[in-house]
């Protein structure tokens, strides 16, 4: 799969003629394509073109004679296959800002409801315009309120827009955004599980903790967060109607058991965090009323609503503060 959008960087010499021959021609033969001017002026000293395919694919290309940058959610022309890829943050600011401005404008034309949320649309831009994730990620926020049950789209998107505006994940944008948008097709459960990591980050940060996401360990495992010297692994149970465990408590226990048999077995002392934000009100009330464990401690169980309300409980000695 293609993954999130990144720039390809070429050190070849480029001209208008070569752009038409080596980029436009093969794309036109495959999809039908047009070569158009950019919507926004490129950086001074650079030329730029938009390659727009009949199937809705888009590519941006800018060059200054000695180097060039390609950004697209379409088939990469052969002449660029061996070029290195760079994220928006790794690319020169003048190129990155121009490219992202073009993409955000494209997103606004295609889905204007999404660009009303500045921080959300900017953060997830590498997947909102990606080859694999552009349909699934937009569908997730449009039709499923970012994973919140019984919530309208505005409430769900505002919740994540407000959280991302804090800049907590700015240094980890590609790592976190790509988790949402690199699935082959639409997978609601997987996308809800991804947002469980965002919910857990908000839980930890709102309580005053500093977090490090996506911690690679010598055991070969990757753990979701580190808080000081404590590892944190996140799981998000599916709503009980969607799995064999046909009660909320059964779903909670099954989800926790899956984690304790893998990552947590290799790292005793790590905190298991269970995000129950996919549960409906009545399901969550049963969980909160009984406060069940999962056979592992330390354990944190919580649920957010899109207005920012959070409830939860803990079992065992959790070595960092919580907001409840």
């Amino acid at each position: 799969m293609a993954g999130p959008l990144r720039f390809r960087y070429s050190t070849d010499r480029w001209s208008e003629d070569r752009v038409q021959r080596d980029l436009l021609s093969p794309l036109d033969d495959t999809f039908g394509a047009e070569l158009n001017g950019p919507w926004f002026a490129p950086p001074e000293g650079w030329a730029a073109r938009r390659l727009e395919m009949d199937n809705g694919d888009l590519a941006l290309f800018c060059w200054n004679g000695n180097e060039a940058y390609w950004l697209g959610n379409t088939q990469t022309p052969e002449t660029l296959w061996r070029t290195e890829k760079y994220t928006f943050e790794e690319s020169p600011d003048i190129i990155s800002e121009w490219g992202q401005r073009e993409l955000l404008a494209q997103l606004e034309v295609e889905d204007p409801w999404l660009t009303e949320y500045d921080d959300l649309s900017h953060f997830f831009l590498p997947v909102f315009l990606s080859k694999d994730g552009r349909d699934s990620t937009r569908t997730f926020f449009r039709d499923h309120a970012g994973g919140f049950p019984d919530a309208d789209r505005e409430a769900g998107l505002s919740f994540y827009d407000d959280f991302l505006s804090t800049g907590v994940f700015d240094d980890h944008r590609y790592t976190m955004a790509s988790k949402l948008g690199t699935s082959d097709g639409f997978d609601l459960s997987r996308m809800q599980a991804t947002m469980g990591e965002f919910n857990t980050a908000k839980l930890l940060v709102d309580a005053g903790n500093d977090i490090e996401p996506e911690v690679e360990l010598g055991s070969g495992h990757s753990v979701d967060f580190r808080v000081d010297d404590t590892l944190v692994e996140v799981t998000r149970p599916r709503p009980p109607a969607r799995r064999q465990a046909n009660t909320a408590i059964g779903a909670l226990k099954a989800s926790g058991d899956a984690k304790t048999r893998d990552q947590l077995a290799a790292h005793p002392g790590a905190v298991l965090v269970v995000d129950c934000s996919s549960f409906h009100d009545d399901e969550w009330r049963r969980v909160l009323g009984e406060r069940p464990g999962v056979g592992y401690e330390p354990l944190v169980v919580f649920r957010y609503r899109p207005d920012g309300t959070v409830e939860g409980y803990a079992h065992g000695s959790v070595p960092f503060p919580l907001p409840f």
Side-chain angles (χ1 to χ4, degrees):
M1 291 180 288
L5 277 182
R6 291 181 292 174
F7 282 102
R8 285 183 175 271
Y9 174 61
S10 168
T11 55
D12 290 348
R13 293 187 62 83
W14 286 88
S15 65
E16 182 78 27
D17 287 344
R18 188 181 177 192
V19 170
Q20 294 194 30
R21 182 183 69 247
D22 290 352
L23 302 183
L24 175 62
S25 181
L27 290 171
D28 190 29
D29 290 344
T30 303
F31 304 110
E34 291 184 358
L35 187 66
N36 297 312
W39 289 356
F40 300 96
E44 186 175 356
W46 294 76
R49 296 292 182 269
R50 292 170 60 95
L51 294 102
E52 298 172 298
M53 273 51 74
D54 292 350
N55 67 351
D57 289 359
L58 171 69
L60 306 173
F61 192 71
C62 64
W63 72 96
N64 66 3
N66 298 314
E67 54 185 342
Y69 288 88
W70 160 279
L71 184 68
N73 57 22
T74 191
Q75 178 178 294
T76 303
E78 185 175 355
T79 189
L80 295 171
W81 283 358
R82 293 177 178 83
T83 52
E84 295 293 329
K85 296 180 182 179
Y86 297 96
T87 68
F88 295 154
E89 286 72 28
E90 293 168 342
S91 304
D93 289 345
I94 57 173
I95 301 298
S96 178
E97 290 168 4
W98 169 77
Q100 291 183 82
R101 192 179 184 192
E102 290 274 342
L103 294 179
L104 282 168
Q106 181 74 28
L107 185 62
E108 185 170 14
V109 168
E110 296 175 354
D111 284 298
W113 57 269
L114 190 50
T115 53
E116 293 176 8
Y117 304 91
D118 292 341
D119 293 284
L120 177 75
S121 57
H122 175 267
F123 185 86
F124 287 108
L125 191 62
V127 293
F128 283 153
L129 270 296
S130 69
K131 183 176 181 180
D132 294 324
R134 55 183 166 177
D135 293 328
S136 60
T137 54
R138 297 187 212 181
T139 297
F140 178 65
F141 283 109
R142 183 187 66 233
D143 298 341
H144 300 277
F148 286 110
D150 303 327
D152 61 32
R153 182 175 73 199
E154 181 179 359
L157 271 64
S158 294
F159 176 90
Y160 289 114
D161 192 57
D162 290 344
F163 174 59
L164 292 170
S165 72
T166 65
V168 168
F169 282 145
D170 282 359
D171 292 338
H172 308 277
R173 178 186 185 188
Y174 267 72
T175 298
M176 299 304 297
S178 64
K179 291 185 177 188
L180 188 67
T182 52
S183 178
D184 184 14
F186 181 77
D187 186 337
L188 177 59
S189 295
R190 188 193 62 79
M191 298 175 100
Q192 286 177 324
T194 294
M195 298 315 292
E197 295 183 36
F198 286 78
N199 296 345
T200 298
K202 177 174 173 58
L203 183 84
L204 296 171
V205 170
D206 284 357
N209 301 290
D210 293 324
I211 62 173
E212 176 190 353
E214 204 62 16
V215 181
E216 299 288 342
L217 302 173
S219 63
H221 291 99
S222 176
V223 177
D224 294 320
F225 297 105
R226 192 199 314 268
V227 178
D228 296 326
D229 295 327
T230 302
L231 300 175
V232 177
E233 183 64 16
V234 181
T235 186
R236 181 165 174 167
R238 299 179 188 180
R242 297 183 180 176
R243 62 185 304 153
Q244 292 179 344
N246 59 3
T247 68
I249 292 174
L252 171 68
K253 289 180 176 290
S255 181
D257 180 64
K259 286 292 183 180
T260 57
R261 286 185 281 105
D262 189 10
Q263 290 102 319
L264 297 179
H267 302 283
V271 176
L272 175 61
V273 177
V274 183
D275 173 23
C276 294
S277 299
S278 295
F279 287 3
H280 296 273
D281 288 345
D282 57 338
E283 296 163 349
W284 171 245
R285 281 195 293 270
R286 295 189 198 102
V287 171
L288 192 60
E290 295 192 29
R291 300 166 65 94
V294 299
Y296 177 90
E297 294 181 357
L299 169 73
V300 176
V301 180
F302 76 96
R303 178 188 186 243
Y304 266 115
R305 293 300 294 148
D307 64 0
T309 302
V310 63
E311 295 178 311
Y313 62 90
H315 287 314
S317 178
V318 178
F320 46 74
L322 296 167
F324 44 74

